[in-house]
Amino acid sequence: MRNLFIVLIISLLYIPKVVSQINCSRYYPLEEGTSFEYTSTNKKGKIESTANYMVSKVSNSANTTVAEMTINLSDKKGKEIIQSSYNITCTGSGVKIDFQSLMAGDMIKQYHEMDIDVALTGTDIELPNELSIGQELTNANVTMNISMAGMNMKTIVNMINRKVEKKENITTISGSYECFVIYSENESQVMGIKRTYPSRLWLTEGIGMVKQESYKSNGDLISTTTLTKFNK
């Protein structure tokens, strides 16, 4: 379960944190009902999980848009693992994700049913509308404190060294895209044990994430997440 927490948090840092109004974000479209399917495979190309995202609600006030995204995560056999939702805020300059909202709804309910208390804190992850090769992006982090049966466990995930590496054309099962490639390092600390996992994100205008790869510290591939369906 501990490994699932880490994978989920890292995934939420990458997979569409959509936007809303026209021109609110250059990279993430938002219309209620817009849906995305992402399939994750291991280093051998075997399916590990599938995540379905949908823009379920959009609200606007002044120059700010708040969007609710629902997520259904299933394992390689198609069995649902987690169903939850989270909110993001979008302004004319880009998007910001509130980490306080990443573990809401059914996920928190499951923890309470197991007599587990969860507290989540962190800093927003930002993605500006204007990207350029060589650009450095702000770091982000999330801390999750879990209390159960008198025991406490802290998980920290820091997203550091974020930068726009290059532009690249890629083709996936869902189509061909021109993408910015964003590199970052995901540093996880669980019960005092620290590990660093570099990653790359392929981001295209009008859709968002097309592909994401995670690596070991030595550069060996761990997993790949690819956009397999997109409906707007």
Side-chain angles (χ1 to χ4, degrees):
M1 182 176 289
R2 182 175 65 198
N3 290 336
L4 176 60
F5 291 154
I6 298 172
V7 171
L8 181 62
I9 291 174
I10 292 175
S11 296
L12 288 169
L13 294 176
Y14 287 111
I15 295 177
K17 319 299 190 212
V18 291
V19 299
S20 62
Q21 315 163 303
I22 296 174
N23 298 326
C24 182
S25 171
R26 178 175 295 176
Y27 297 96
Y28 298 116
L30 179 61
E31 294 176 11
E32 290 186 8
T34 300
S35 62
F36 309 78
E37 179 189 81
Y38 290 90
T39 300
S40 296
T41 57
N42 61 22
K43 62 181 181 181
K44 296 182 179 180
K46 294 184 177 181
I47 295 176
E48 292 292 311
S49 63
T50 301
N52 286 284
Y53 291 78
M54 178 174 285
V55 181
S56 55
K57 185 178 180 180
V58 180
S59 60
N60 300 296
S61 61
N63 296 321
T64 300
T65 296
V66 177
E68 180 181 83
M69 179 73 94
T70 59
I71 171 176
N72 288 274
L73 180 65
S74 302
D75 64 17
K76 59 185 177 182
K77 295 182 179 180
K79 181 181 179 180
E80 185 178 279
I81 302 172
I82 289 173
Q83 181 180 34
S84 189
S85 63
Y86 59 91
N87 295 328
I88 66 98
T89 300
C90 180
T91 64
S93 61
V95 295
K96 293 184 178 182
I97 295 87
D98 178 7
F99 283 106
Q100 297 285 348
S101 66
L102 291 182
M103 297 181 67
D106 292 344
M107 192 183 303
I108 294 296
K109 181 180 178 181
Q110 291 174 15
Y111 295 146
H112 288 320
E113 290 174 350
M114 294 185 290
D115 197 25
I116 299 175
D117 293 324
V118 178
L120 189 69
T121 58
T123 58
D124 292 347
I125 179 171
E126 300 182 14
L127 183 69
N129 280 336
E130 300 299 326
L131 295 178
S132 59
I133 297 172
Q135 181 179 358
E136 295 185 357
L137 304 177
T138 56
N139 295 336
N141 70 78
V142 59
T143 299
M144 180 171 61
N145 289 288
I146 301 174
S147 300
M148 55 183 176
M151 298 178 60
N152 296 315
M153 182 176 72
K154 178 184 287 187
T155 298
I156 301 173
V157 178
N158 297 311
M159 181 183 283
I160 58 176
N161 298 325
R162 300 177 67 215
K163 61 183 178 181
V164 181
E165 278 191 328
K166 56 185 176 180
K167 264 193 169 182
E168 185 173 87
N169 294 317
I170 66 169
T171 298
T172 73
I173 191 173
S174 62
S176 297
Y177 309 95
E178 181 182 49
C179 301
F180 276 110
V181 181
I182 299 176
Y183 173 86
S184 66
E185 294 173 358
N186 299 297
E187 181 186 80
S188 70
Q189 299 179 46
V190 182
M191 299 181 69
I193 300 174
K194 182 185 294 186
R195 292 185 174 89
T196 301
Y197 302 95
S199 68
R200 285 183 173 86
L201 165 71
W202 282 258
L203 185 76
T204 191
E205 291 189 23
I207 293 179
M209 191 188 90
V210 172
K211 186 173 76 168
Q212 185 259 328
E213 290 183 344
S214 296
Y215 314 95
K216 294 181 180 179
S217 57
N218 63 4
D220 289 346
L221 181 67
I222 297 175
S223 64
T224 301
T225 299
T226 307
L227 177 68
T228 46
K229 292 181 183 179
F230 171 69
N231 294 296
K232 184 177 178 181

